[in-house]
Amino acid sequence: MAPLDNSKGVWKSGKGKGRKTPKGRQLDDQAHEEVLALLGDRPRNRDLLIEFLHLIQDAYGCLSAAHIRALAEEMRTGQAEIYEVASFYAHFDVVKEGETPPPALTIRVCDSLSCELAGAQQLQKALEDGLDPSEVRVLRAPCMGRCDTAPVLEIGHNHIDHATAEKAIAAVHAGDIHPQIPDYQTYAEYVADGGYRILAELREGGDWEAVQDKVLEAGLRGLGGAGFPSGKKWGFVRANPGPRYLAVNGDEGEPGTFKDRHHLERDPHMFLEGMLIGAWAVEAEKAFIYMRDEYPAVLEILRREIKALEDAGIVEEGYIDLRRGAGAYICGEESAMIESIEGKRGEPRHRPPFVAQVGIFGQPTLVHNVETLYWVARICRFGPEVLNLVEKNGRKGLRNYSVSGRVKNPGVHLLPAGSTIADIIEAAGGMLDGHAFKAYQPGGPSSGLLPAHMDDIPLDFDTLQPHGTFIGSAAVVVLSDQDSAREAALNMLRFFEDESCGQCTPCRAGCEKAVKLMQADKWDQGLLEELSQTMVDASICGLGQAAPNPIRLTMKHFPEEI
């Protein structure tokens, strides 16, 4: 395209034809003003793209082509780049020119295993039949981290526990779409109870290596699922030149898991102090908290309490950067989370280099799970004995088990790390009346299913690997004789099919193919095993590598069903 000629406002093309505007989508003045009003004086940094998309989605219920064009103008980036990020995440609705925007209200019905056992499919159908689709959109959605109150749905940002169609329709008519904030321990209450005293002492003259040794002595391991010794990470990160960062993985997306939400909705400052101790230990220039969008109440609590920390002078304004996920399970993988923090699609990175060397913005980054940092604070405050004095079945420590399914008292149960499924069911009040124990998921869908007769295995790190599974995030779902292991496995694979980021073929195509094969009247076990092995060997990250576990364990332990 040639520059403007002497005729004002006319662009000259190579063919000599004149045009009033440059090629491409034109900037709409009204949309630009609306985006300017939402962004305000925020810096137009590229890593804030997802935060800006949330502002637009929240305000207008979708991302229109005009708003994407205006955002591209403000961020000095391409519309295609914004579109590829927005279209990656489930909670953004991209609306092209001429398309009808979604209804003003969306109901998301959780379809995870615990909710399916509790009748989520029937609930979704009842809502679709009972509501006007032009006014209310009903969607199925992955786990919302409320498995203890299944079935669950979300209207706007309001979660309805033990949901029924009647409850949901009443909330729609009442306009009840905002999160309900539970009672929790505030900053003032936490300080009155001795909170932040240890952090102040460490900042005054503490030895980070002594703290690291204390964490190692306690036996604390990463509680997001990987189980890496927590203290060792600090030395790895400090060994690399700065600037360094800390990133908190609060994307608790593994179906059946809700332990992080349990703590954050009750005592958020125990976690926040642990986070600041970790940040002090590695001399982090900034701490990022990446929190899943399915936890709106937690996000509001953290906004309030981070502000309280800033007002009290515990941290400088902006030191803690709270980032909001957008509906992508894959962002629970640490490198995918970092990509998302940088405002990109949440696709896992190839490793090495590891994030301790090359993390956020290419700098060394310490990544910890929420519950891990909660225990860091407790260990520093009360000593390593809070974990290492507890012993059961030859295992030391404590575990927060998220328990759901066919038990009387689902919820988070703090038990010795050597507890068996029999102990966990007992702690959860036993099986529901009329239900006999049949199978259990020891650590989310990534761990597959084990039969009831394997009820004497300690559910801890390293104890389940000989049986072809692992503890992961300790998301325990209990099945009864009224449930189908085959259907449960299919539910798990459908989840992986939906949540695969699509970056690598073994996972992207493998999950889709597995779901088709598992719907056959009789499973082709040879083909499914061949597919499983390919996924394990060739997938980039843990999603594709663990997705075959439900297939393999169902074939092994429940052959009569397939």
Side-chain angles (χ1 to χ4, degrees), residues 278-527:
W280 161 81
V282 299
E283 298 179 333
E285 290 209 354
K286 195 168 192 175
F288 293 86
I289 302 176
Y290 188 89
M291 186 55 56
R292 67 187 310 223
D293 198 29
E294 290 84 351
Y295 287 175
V298 169
L299 282 159
E300 178 56 30
I301 290 169
L302 288 174
R303 288 186 196 104
R304 294 178 185 178
E305 299 311 306
I306 290 169
K307 177 69 164 54
L309 289 177
E310 292 173 346
D311 292 345
I314 302 289
V315 295
E316 293 181 3
E317 185 176 348
Y319 179 79
I320 302 174
D321 193 337
L322 178 62
R323 296 296 180 91
R324 178 178 163 193
Y329 164 76
I330 193 63
C331 290
E333 196 277 338
E334 63 179 9
S335 65
M337 174 193 69
I338 286 173
E339 289 287 296
S340 194
I341 288 172
E342 293 180 355
K344 304 172 189 172
R345 297 162 64 92
E347 294 180 337
R349 297 175 178 177
H350 292 269
R351 291 173 289 182
F354 296 95
V355 299
Q357 302 165 291
V358 181
I360 297 174
F361 309 136
Q363 296 303 126
T365 303
L366 175 66
V367 177
H368 275 312
N369 163 264
V370 169
E371 191 197 353
T372 306
L373 292 168
Y374 169 89
W375 283 108
V376 165
R378 289 191 66 84
I379 291 164
C380 290
R381 195 163 163 187
F382 303 114
E385 299 78 21
V386 294
L387 284 182
N388 65 19
L389 278 189
V390 181
E391 187 169 348
K392 182 167 185 171
N393 291 329
R395 312 297 300 178
K396 287 188 175 183
L398 294 166
R399 290 300 300 254
N400 276 303
Y401 295 96
S402 304
V403 187
S404 60
R406 307 298 194 181
V407 292
K408 289 182 178 176
N409 298 317
V412 174
H413 294 277
L414 181 63
L415 299 169
S419 299
T420 65
I421 187 63
D423 299 321
I424 290 167
I425 291 173
E426 182 182 358
M431 298 294 295
L432 287 172
D433 293 338
H435 290 259
F437 178 36
K438 173 181 177 175
Y440 65 104
Q441 179 181 278
S446 301
S447 67
L449 283 175
L450 293 177
H453 68 80
M454 296 177 66
D455 61 356
D456 58 349
I457 306 167
L459 299 192
D460 194 15
F461 295 119
D462 310 321
T463 57
L464 290 163
Q465 278 81 343
H467 305 284
T469 183
F470 51 85
I471 186 64
S473 57
V476 179
V477 181
V478 180
L479 277 64
S480 78
D481 55 346
Q482 299 186 23
D483 304 315
S484 163
R486 171 198 175 102
E487 290 302 314
L490 182 57
N491 174 283
M492 298 177 206
L493 263 294
R494 281 187 170 133
F495 169 77
F496 291 128
E497 180 188 23
D498 288 343
E499 295 299 326
S500 172
C501 76
Q503 180 183 182
C504 70
T505 304
C507 177
R508 180 185 67 246
C511 289
E512 180 184 2
K513 183 67 174 176
V515 167
K516 290 177 180 175
L517 291 170
M518 293 167 74
Q519 292 179 77
D521 292 337
K522 185 176 177 61
W523 285 12
D524 185 337
Q525 296 190 49
L527 186 55

Side-chain angles (χ1 to χ4, degrees), residues 131-381:
L131 293 167
D132 183 349
S134 66
E135 295 181 3
V136 182
R137 177 176 58 162
V138 180
L139 302 175
R140 70 182 184 91
C143 186
M144 298 175 184
R146 309 181 78 87
C147 318
D148 52 333
T149 56
V152 171
L153 58 79
E154 185 181 30
I155 301 179
H157 290 300
N158 176 30
H159 285 99
I160 296 184
D161 298 326
H162 303 295
T164 63
E166 293 73 23
K167 281 185 183 179
I169 292 170
V172 169
H173 293 321
D176 192 3
I177 61 172
H178 302 293
Q180 300 172 23
I181 311 301
D183 291 331
Y184 65 91
Q185 187 180 46
T186 64
Y187 169 75
E189 292 166 341
Y190 184 72
V191 169
D193 193 36
Y196 293 107
R197 179 178 54 81
I198 295 295
L199 176 66
E201 291 173 1
L202 292 174
R203 285 176 169 177
E204 187 66 29
D207 178 354
W208 74 270
E209 290 181 301
V211 178
Q212 177 179 251
D213 290 342
K214 187 180 290 187
V215 172
L216 288 169
E217 183 185 347
L220 181 64
R221 294 173 65 170
L223 296 170
F228 189 82
S230 300
K232 286 187 177 180
K233 284 187 176 183
W234 298 3
F236 291 157
V237 174
R238 286 214 39 150
N240 296 291
R244 307 183 193 95
Y245 297 104
L246 178 143
V248 177
N249 191 339
D251 198 64
E252 187 177 45
E254 187 79 12
T257 313
F258 46 95
K259 58 186 177 58
D260 291 353
R261 179 181 65 82
H262 174 88
H263 287 298
L264 291 168
E265 289 185 348
R266 288 163 177 77
D267 46 0
H269 284 282
M270 187 67 77
F271 148 70
L272 287 168
E273 184 170 15
M275 179 192 74
L276 293 174
I277 289 170
W280 161 81
V282 299
E283 298 179 333
E285 290 209 354
K286 195 168 192 175
F288 293 86
I289 302 176
Y290 188 89
M291 186 55 56
R292 67 187 310 223
D293 198 29
E294 290 84 351
Y295 287 175
V298 169
L299 282 159
E300 178 56 30
I301 290 169
L302 288 174
R303 288 186 196 104
R304 294 178 185 178
E305 299 311 306
I306 290 169
K307 177 69 164 54
L309 289 177
E310 292 173 346
D311 292 345
I314 302 289
V315 295
E316 293 181 3
E317 185 176 348
Y319 179 79
I320 302 174
D321 193 337
L322 178 62
R323 296 296 180 91
R324 178 178 163 193
Y329 164 76
I330 193 63
C331 290
E333 196 277 338
E334 63 179 9
S335 65
M337 174 193 69
I338 286 173
E339 289 287 296
S340 194
I341 288 172
E342 293 180 355
K344 304 172 189 172
R345 297 162 64 92
E347 294 180 337
R349 297 175 178 177
H350 292 269
R351 291 173 289 182
F354 296 95
V355 299
Q357 302 165 291
V358 181
I360 297 174
F361 309 136
Q363 296 303 126
T365 303
L366 175 66
V367 177
H368 275 312
N369 163 264
V370 169
E371 191 197 353
T372 306
L373 292 168
Y374 169 89
W375 283 108
V376 165
R378 289 191 66 84
I379 291 164
C380 290
R381 195 163 163 187

